[in-house]
Structure formats: C-alpha cells, structure tokens
Amino acid sequence: MISRRQFLQATAAAHALVTAGGLGPLGRVAAQQRLTQADILRFDRPGDVTILHVTDIHAQLVPLHFREPSVNLGVGEARGKLPHLTDAAFREAFRIAAGTPAAHALTSEDFAALARSYGRMGGLDRIATLVKAVRAERGEDRVLLLDGGDTWQGSWSALQTRGQDMVEAMSALKVDAMTSHWEFTLGADRVKEIVDTAPFAFLAQNVRSLEWQEPVFEAVKTFEKGGAKVAVIGQALPRTGIANPRWMFPDWEFGIRETELQKQVEDARAGGADVVVLLSHNGYDVDAKLAGRVRGIDFILTAHTHDAMPGVVRVGDTALVASGSHGKFLSRIDLDIRNRKVAGLRFRLMPVFSDAIAPDPDIAALVERVRAPFKADLSRELGRAESLLYRRGNFNGTFDDLICEAMLAERDAEIALSPGFRWGASLLPGEPITFEAVANATAITYPACYRMQMAGRQLKSVLEDVADNIFHPDPYFQGGGDMVRVGGVGFSIDISAPMGRRISDLTFLKTGSPIEADRSYVVAGWASVNEGTQGPPIWEVVSRHVERVKTVRIEPNSAVKVTGA
C-alpha cells in the first residue's frame, strides 16, 4: 500500500477551504458575515473544462443538519488511512483548525454547538445557486454536472411520488448524467419508466440482463466541453442485488465487471476521448482498489460510502474525488487539457452552508411545490429531542438506538435489529422530532417491521454475516454499509478477526446473562430483503413510540465493544 504522503494530494483547493473558513466557534450571524457565498465559490484558476459533482443526496431537498461519523474504521490495506480518519486525525490530515466551518462540515467534533453557530447545510436551492454561478462564470459549454446516485430515495415526498419529486428537481438543475443504487428499490418498471423519459443520461455499465447478459442501461456518454471530449462511464453499486431486495429487479444482474470496464475505457479513448471519468457508486475502498487495476481512468467520482474529503487522492494515475452526502457539498474539478490528455487538475470541495448562500428562486419554488402535498404530514410534531440524534458511523448512532427502542417497545420484542443505513438528518438537543425527521431515516419501499422468533445461534450468524460484509479485508467483498444496529443485546466485535470469529460475548441486556445458542428470542427488525415480509411500516412504529414518550434522550451506546481497529 502506498504511504499516506503518496496517497494524499493535499491540494490548494483543500487549503483554500480551510483558510477561507478559519472562523472559530462564532455565533451564526458573525460567522456568516465572514463566510460568504463568494468565499465558498472562490476558485483560483479555472481550467479548460469544469466538472461539478454531487452525490448521495438521498432526496433531501431542504437544508438540514448531518453529523459526520466519529467512527469510520478501515480494514486490510485501508486501515488507518483516508477516508478512515475522523475528527482530530482527519483535521490533521487536511490542516483544518478546530471550530472552523470546515471542521464542522467534515467532522463530528462539538457538533451540536457548532451546528448552532454555522446553521444547516445543503438544500437543493442553495446547490442550484452554486451551480448557476459556476456556469455563469465559465459558460455552460465548459461545465458538466454529474450526479453519483442515491438521489431518488430517502424522504417522504420521494417515497410518495416514487422519486418523481427528485427527478423534476434534478432535471431543473440540468444534471448531465447520473448513476445509481437506491433508485433500483423503486422497482425495475419504475426505474425504466424514468430513464426512458428523463432529460439526463442514466449510466450503469455493470448492470446486465440475467438471461442474455445484455446491457440494461447506457454504459458511457461522451460530452464535448471546452473543446474537449469527456467520456463519462457509469458504475452502479455492484452489490445492489445483495444489499437490497432482489425481487424488485429480478431480471437484472450487478457486479464490478472490471474486464468490461477496461474495455469501455479503451473504447472511449479510441473514440477520441480526451478525459475519461468513472461516475461511480462502488464505495470509496472499492474505487481505490479498482483505480489500481483498471488503466486509463483520469479520475473517479466516488460515492455510496458518504465520504467527504477536501482534497483529491491519487492511486497511480487516477484521482479519486469524494463529495460527501445529503447535499452538504458540491465538488468542483477543473481540468487543463493538452495534447488530448489531462495536463492539470484543480479541485475544491464547496461546503453548502445554507445561511451563507442565497437560495435560487426557481429551484426554491419547485421545492415548495413538490413538498406542498405533504406539508401537513412533514411538519407534524411527534415529540422533542433532549439529546443529539444522529445516525452516521460504523456502529449504533443515537437515532438508530431510538429506532431500536421503538421496536422493542411497540413490537413487544426482546431484541431489535436495525439496518446500518447512513442516510437521515441529525437532530439537535431541543429540536422537535417531526414526522419528516422520522421519515428521513426510514422512508424505503420495503418498510415492514417484522416480529419473529430467532435462536441465539441464528442471531450470532446474522451478526457475523453483516460484520464480514463490512469488515472483509478485500474491498471487493464489502457491501459498503455500516454494522447492523442492535437493541436489547450487547456484544464484542474484533474487526480484524476472520469470518465467523468476529462476534463474541453476546449478552441479553434485560438480564445481563449470555445469549443462549439454543434459546429462542423475540426479535423485531425492518428492511428485510425477503419478499412478503409482514408488519407495520417502520415509520409508524417509531412515530407511535415518540408520540407516547414525548421526550427522547438517548445516551451513547456502550453495549457494543470494538477491538482490532
């Protein structure tokens, strides 16, 4: 594995983000007087071509709080390396001072206090302002806007409109191309319906028909920008058929498909491409491995694992760009083209601080219109948060613990299992818990909250299987999610151990006694990939619980002990 010094290109753009935002923990108004829209947009020297990248929005149309992980563990060759650094270690890698806007946007440190200082982030109308400003500066014939996927899922309005709200919004933003993952959970028919009519390209070179192994979607599209030909190849999540319900797209097969990807790159070059971009939803570690094995890719716009880094990473001749999630960031990459090759690359991760950016009126009106039919539901207050509720991290977050508590109480269960999803807004202490907040963490097309009997040995097997999916030392065998969240049970996990030997000390928290292999326990969970799963929608379960308890205070979970990191 290359060293961190070789691995990291700490670009001038990264330094610009830090120095422009060296504000300290000021009050919101004072902070925003110094952090301006012009600061966020500032870019030292434009190139021949400008590429903008946004990804993993998860249908979040309005500004929100979203806490970055305090635990993001790398295994194998990725252990202790970017992007698996958090908080102080992350700040040190990028020379970010504590308490600055960059520190707040990119770490979990002092999150609630800094969130009150710097305000919310994201909002598609703010992203639109940045995009339009770059287009006005550069000219539309030099700018390419790419979406890394996980766009049509993650909110109540997206669920109720089957993604139509996001399709309209991204069309109005004039996205040029996208790839996909959670979009597939709308079902094959709905995805094809959108793809056939959308004004943007939907690219996925690695999806094939099961019977004939024919491409299901367009693999590559070449754009002429700034006098250069830019070939964009799409790569959907390779493990979609494992991570999500196979029955929703039964005739499609996914995979990494290195050989086919190499051919796409070579064909693009032979067709005159000056630049080859992989618009990927592989996940960061998969892309890092891929970059060392597939030749000729200039840079990979990575997604899925929600990593955000204010600098590009180089693996050989390929640069990796990580643009975060939930609309918190917009990446800008400017390229110098000489002799049909990339001769220079400059990068900036633009933080979308919503208080510092004027909303674009056209997109703001569209957002208001598509959310209007659901306004009463979204604003319904269920209770109050007395502690910070967040979700992101390798193990239980406090919002996950709330979901597990709700299942234990409302489904009369002894143990709760909640999937390691990364999407959903964070709530600050004192904020209302609205139905929108619950839906943002639960809105999927297979929401049934099941209740079943499970033997202790089966529970251990489930935990071992998920742990291997997360902590397998070979990225190509990782699913890229986070560890299943648990309620009512504790355990120890050695992430460096081999499959089947990571989980130990399983404890039934109600009694403090060890989980018995042959005993049957009542288990509640949700998001089962099995067709026909029965139970109330998870958002009903959580809403009912919050309405009953009124105030929610979740202490950090100490029931999971982690070693081997």
Side-chain angles (χ1 to χ4, degrees):
M1 190 71 175
I2 56 180
S3 69
R4 187 163 78 182
R5 181 170 293 179
Q6 294 168 319
F7 187 63
L8 171 66
Q9 179 189 15
T11 62
H15 185 64
L17 170 63
V18 178
T19 55
L23 307 177
L26 306 177
R28 184 187 300 185
V29 174
Q32 298 305 343
Q33 286 174 348
R34 295 185 60 186
L35 181 68
T36 67
Q37 183 172 307
D39 292 329
I40 292 169
L41 282 163
R42 186 171 292 117
F43 201 88
D44 289 340
R45 183 167 63 86
D48 298 303
V49 178
T50 297
I51 296 177
L52 301 176
H53 179 234
V54 66
T55 191
D56 293 282
I57 292 176
H58 283 287
Q60 297 305 308
L61 289 168
V62 299
L64 45 61
H65 297 296
F66 184 80
R67 176 190 180 272
E68 298 298 326
S70 57
V71 180
N72 182 4
L73 301 175
V75 292
E77 293 187 346
R79 180 177 178 177
K81 295 182 172 64
L82 290 165
H84 302 288
L85 302 175
T86 60
D87 295 342
F90 185 94
R91 287 193 294 100
E92 181 183 355
F94 289 104
R95 297 175 292 168
I96 299 172
T100 60
H104 173 59
L106 292 160
T107 77
S108 70
E109 291 179 320
D110 203 15
F111 181 80
L114 292 180
R116 297 188 196 284
S117 293
Y118 294 123
R120 298 174 186 268
M121 297 190 71
L124 206 68
D125 53 1
R126 272 70 166 190
I127 293 173
T129 294
L130 299 181
V131 169
K132 289 183 178 182
V134 174
R135 284 175 173 154
E137 170 208 340
R138 303 288 290 124
E140 291 201 17
D141 62 335
R142 290 183 179 272
V143 179
L144 192 61
L145 175 59
L146 302 176
D147 171 10
D150 278 6
T151 304
W152 308 344
Q153 175 277 335
S155 73
W156 189 246
S157 58
L159 182 68
Q160 296 303 306
T161 64
R162 301 171 67 212
Q164 189 61 35
D165 63 335
M166 294 307 300
V167 173
E168 290 184 30
M170 300 309 277
S171 298
L173 200 59
K174 297 182 182 178
V175 166
D176 291 294
M178 71 173 293
T179 192
S180 182
H181 166 212
W182 272 97
E183 285 77 8
F184 295 118
T185 64
L186 294 174
D189 290 344
R190 175 58 175 155
V191 171
K192 290 293 284 185
E193 177 186 8
I194 294 173
V195 170
D196 289 345
T197 58
F200 45 80
F202 187 96
L203 306 176
Q205 75 88 22
N206 58 327
V207 184
R208 298 285 189 276
S209 63
L210 191 61
E211 183 174 3
W212 299 107
Q213 288 297 296
E214 294 177 340
V216 176
F217 303 103
E218 190 177 7
V220 58
K221 184 166 183 177
T222 299
F223 300 87
E224 293 199 15
K225 295 290 181 179
K229 290 185 177 181
V230 182
V232 180
I233 304 171
Q235 178 88 349
L237 180 72
R239 295 172 70 87
T240 299
I242 299 170
N244 305 102
R246 184 83 179 78
W247 54 269
M248 291 185 166
F249 34 84
D251 299 325
W252 298 348
E253 185 177 80
F254 299 76
I256 295 173
R257 301 188 186 274
E258 270 188 6
T259 301
E260 294 91 334
L261 177 57
Q262 184 66 70
K263 187 176 187 306
Q264 293 288 349
V265 173
E266 292 169 359
D267 288 350
R269 293 290 187 190
D274 304 299
V275 184
V276 176
V277 179
L278 183 64
L279 180 60
S280 172
H281 208 92
N282 281 332
Y284 188 91
D285 290 344
V286 176
D287 281 327
K289 178 176 178 177
L290 186 78
R293 295 166 62 91
V294 176
R295 302 175 309 280
I297 300 173
D298 290 301
F299 59 96
I300 299 175
L301 301 174
T302 189
H304 180 58
T305 41
H306 292 194
D307 305 296
M309 293 196 294
V312 300
V313 167
R314 288 196 178 276
V315 177
D317 295 328
T318 301
L320 275 68
V321 172
S323 303
S325 67
H326 290 77
K328 285 180 63 176
F329 304 98
L330 176 68
S331 282
R332 174 175 175 174
I333 307 104
D334 275 49
L335 305 174
D336 300 327
I337 311 298
R338 301 290 182 271
N339 300 319
R340 296 187 56 195
K341 291 182 179 181
V342 175
L345 180 153
R346 288 169 300 285
F347 168 74
R348 176 134 194 207
L349 183 71
M350 292 187 278
V352 186
F353 283 101
S354 57
D355 285 357
I357 301 169
D360 175 77
D362 295 334
I363 298 297
L366 185 152
V367 169
E368 178 71 20
R369 175 175 60 79
V370 298
R371 285 169 53 86
F374 315 105
K375 187 174 182 179
D377 282 335
L378 296 175
S379 61
R380 181 163 55 93
E381 186 172 325
L382 309 173
R384 287 265 164 179
E386 288 191 347
S387 57
L388 177 65
L389 298 181
Y390 64 90
R391 168 168 242 187
R392 179 74 169 96
N394 286 143
F395 299 96
N396 284 50
T398 50
F399 210 120
D400 299 301
D401 289 334
L402 170 60
I403 294 171
C404 286
E405 283 189 4
M407 289 190 288
L408 291 173
E410 304 301 324
R411 298 293 280 153
D412 190 23
E414 296 175 296
I415 293 170
L417 302 177
S418 187
F421 297 151
R422 280 182 293 269
W423 37 267
S426 303
L427 294 180
L428 305 184
E431 287 190 330
I433 303 174
T434 61
F435 179 73
E436 180 168 25
V438 171
N440 282 345
T442 58
I444 62 173
T445 54
Y446 48 109
C449 181
Y450 60 82
R451 183 178 186 273
M452 63 180 292
Q453 299 285 330
M454 184 181 292
R457 63 166 46 87
Q458 184 182 357
L459 174 63
K460 183 178 187 298
S461 178
V462 168
L463 295 176
E464 290 281 9
D465 285 349
V466 177
D468 193 63
N469 183 60
I470 309 305
F471 299 114
H472 196 290
D474 185 341
Y476 278 14
F477 291 92
Q478 295 173 7
D482 288 318
M483 186 64 184
V484 61
R485 282 59 166 116
V486 296
V489 65
F491 62 89
S492 297
I493 177 170
D494 181 352
I495 68 169
S496 66
M499 183 177 181
R501 294 169 54 189
R502 292 186 178 94
I503 306 297
S504 62
D505 301 327
L506 273 164
T507 303
F508 185 37
L509 296 182
K510 185 176 182 179
T511 63
S513 58
I515 291 288
E516 301 174 37
D518 295 326
R519 182 189 156 181
S520 182
Y521 297 85
V522 179
V523 175
W526 65 288
S528 169
V529 298
N530 298 320
E531 188 173 8
T533 299
Q534 299 296 309
I538 185 61
W539 52 78
E540 288 186 6
V541 174
V542 178
S543 296
R544 191 163 59 238
H545 178 69
V546 174
E547 285 180 314
R548 183 170 58 80
V549 301
K550 299 298 183 186
T551 58
V552 173
R553 183 173 188 84
I554 306 289
E555 300 298 335
N557 192 316
S558 60
V560 177
K561 309 290 193 300
V562 182
T563 60

